[in-house]
Amino acid sequence: MGWGRGRASHIEAPTEWRGTTVQVCGLWPFGAGSGTPVVGVPLGRSMTSGAALCCDPISWFQRANLILNPSEFVLGKPGLGKSTVVRRQALGLAGYGVNPLVFGDLKPDYVDLVRALGGQVITLGRGRGFLNVLDPGEVTEAAKRLTGDARRALIADAHGRRINAVGSLLTIVRGTPITDREETVLNVALKVLDERHPGIPVMADLLAVIRDAPDPVRAAVLDRGDIAKYRDTVEDLEASLVGLLGEGRLGDMFARPTSEPMHRDRPVCFDVSSIDDSEMNLQAAALLACWSYGFGAVSVAQALADAGLEPQRHYFVILDELWRVLRAGRGLVDRVDALTRLNRQRGVGMAMITHTMSDLMALAYEEDRMKAKGFVERAGMVICGGLPAAEMPELTQVVNMTGAEQRMITDWSTPPAWDTGSGRKSPPPGLGKFMVKVGGRPGIPVRVELTEAERDINDTNRRWAR
């Protein structure tokens, strides 16, 4: 090597070392900024600089101050690793003391992870487990430990969640939202039920209160002393509630006492994978019920921590297959929005996962589509896997992307090629590759790298290997 000694056909890349600015400050001018954050859960290496990327919504919000709220929206075609990214974040956050909470696992994608972390797996499905949406969970016991405004706030929050959960289930049964009058009737009837019932009520008890026509419920109906008018007004509501008692399309999954209460001091996964994909309404109902019940447990933990009665616990809430709930009936976007907004508080991070923007834009009504798009707009960060080119116009309306970033994401959606040598399909080009976007900042393309210890809990094709 040297001047005039001929052309070098190959020059090896110099060895790169990484360190903090304090450690490498004496190496000037041979140091260069990595450009990727190193706060949070390690995901993999940047595909442009090779630098390691650490990324999760809680660390970027709480410690790095890179995002405005601890939430993320994950998009990508099936089979490219969306769940793997979220599992890696959940595993890393568990090491920081943050409990992962999976409110409805349809595949299942998270059961093995939660079991490996020593968490609780709650199985739900036809004949496998039951979830009573009228069950306040640990609210009753927690309220006895609280006083004043804190106690009243916890009870009011639990009441609102139960009304929202019942309204959501009725919306799925009907395919259309319940009326304002019916929601008022449910609200008053549930208050009467709580005063009358000594234990934890079930759906049949709520129906019995409405049929008994107590004075507070009749006043809400505005029957003006005419019992015939009362019966006519609540007839549709009665019919829908009967459909939740075991005879309707949702079966008796929500009609019996909760089969296994949720613990709030460990990782939790609601396993609903036994519900077949052909039963989309039951899947959506199960997800909504799990979200409502789980968020209620989180509220209890936060209330007790705020009162100094228990240590502050942090949670990473995972809402997978969001599109299944949104498509189950008109008005469910508002129900999901109400559930998630009630937990925009410190100590709770959230990951919402769906396949494409088309899942959100396929809703029948314009107002629902705009509200669903707001889920992406309000997320602290957006993580995109491989997506078809047709997705880019919708996606770029809510996430600023350069042409190069769009081409990279669409290239990742290319189908796998056939390997003639082995006679098998090659891995998809976009497997494990994701673009991390925060506001208008340049995206960070990253390849997720798994350790050997993670590979078994990330094998979602285990049944095909048997």
Side-chain angles (χ1 to χ4, degrees), residues 249-293:
R249 68 177 74 177
L250 301 185
D252 62 350
M253 182 173 164
F254 311 105
R256 299 187 183 185
T258 300
S259 53
E260 183 178 354
M262 170 184 163
H263 300 294
R264 62 178 186 275
D265 60 349
R266 67 191 68 177
V268 176
C269 175
F270 288 85
D271 180 9
V272 294
S273 59
S274 64
I275 303 176
D276 192 79
D277 285 344
S278 62
E279 296 187 284
M280 291 190 61
N281 285 325
L282 182 56
Q283 285 184 338
L287 291 176
L288 269 170
C290 292
W291 297 355
S292 179
Y293 185 82

Side-chain angles (χ1 to χ4, degrees), residues 65-77:
N65 296 318
L66 292 174
I67 57 179
L68 298 178
N69 67 83
S71 64
E72 66 183 12
F73 205 99
V74 184
L75 295 156
K77 292 179 64 177

Side-chain angles (χ1 to χ4, degrees), residues 373-451:
K373 188 186 293 186
F375 294 154
V376 187
E377 294 172 335
R378 291 194 303 271
M381 71 174 76
V382 178
I383 300 179
C384 298
L387 293 169
E391 286 292 307
M392 291 302 109
E394 294 289 351
L395 182 60
T396 52
Q397 287 183 17
V398 294
V399 181
N400 291 326
M401 285 192 176
T402 65
E405 291 171 347
Q406 295 180 50
R407 288 191 294 273
M408 189 176 294
I409 292 173
T410 55
D411 287 346
W412 293 341
S413 68
T414 305
W418 185 264
D419 187 345
T420 56
S422 64
R424 299 180 179 178
K425 285 185 178 180
S426 302
L431 182 63
K433 299 176 183 177
F434 294 89
M435 181 74 68
V436 180
K437 291 288 295 185
V438 176
R441 297 174 184 171
I444 305 174
V446 60
R447 183 195 300 271
V448 177
E449 300 175 358
L450 297 178
T451 63

Side-chain angles (χ1 to χ4, degrees), residues 99-243:
N99 285 329
L101 302 179
V102 185
F103 294 153
D105 189 356
L106 288 167
K107 298 298 177 60
D109 283 336
Y110 306 91
V111 167
D112 292 339
L113 171 63
V114 170
R115 283 186 176 143
L117 292 173
Q120 177 187 23
V121 176
I122 300 174
T123 303
L124 300 174
R126 294 188 187 274
R128 293 172 174 83
F130 308 95
L131 183 58
N132 176 20
V133 296
L134 296 181
D135 185 353
E138 297 177 301
V139 169
T140 304
E141 293 301 318
K144 295 177 181 178
R145 303 170 61 186
L146 299 172
T147 59
D149 292 341
R151 182 175 185 275
R152 286 190 292 271
L154 182 63
I155 293 174
D157 182 56
H159 180 80
R161 289 186 187 282
R162 291 192 292 168
I163 291 298
N164 188 52
V166 175
S168 299
L169 294 181
L170 295 179
T171 299
I172 292 174
V173 168
R174 295 180 176 184
T176 57
I178 62 176
T179 65
D180 294 340
R181 176 176 290 188
E182 288 174 330
E183 189 155 9
T184 301
V185 170
L186 287 174
N187 182 27
V188 176
L190 186 55
K191 291 180 179 179
V192 173
L193 178 61
D194 289 338
E195 294 172 357
R196 291 182 174 184
H197 201 280
I200 298 175
V202 294
M203 204 67 70
D205 298 321
L206 179 61
L207 177 60
V209 168
I210 295 175
R211 285 176 170 172
D212 288 345
D215 290 340
V217 180
R218 292 187 63 177
V221 173
L222 300 176
D223 67 356
R224 292 178 171 83
D226 186 351
I227 189 63
K229 180 178 180 181
Y230 174 86
R231 299 296 180 196
D232 289 340
T233 303
V234 301
E235 182 178 4
D236 291 342
L237 182 59
E238 283 189 65
S240 298
L241 286 171
V242 169

Side-chain angles (χ1 to χ4, degrees), residues 81-95:
K82 296 189 303 299
S83 299
T84 300
V85 171
V86 180
R87 276 194 300 268
R88 162 59 71 86
Q89 291 177 332
L91 179 60
L93 286 170

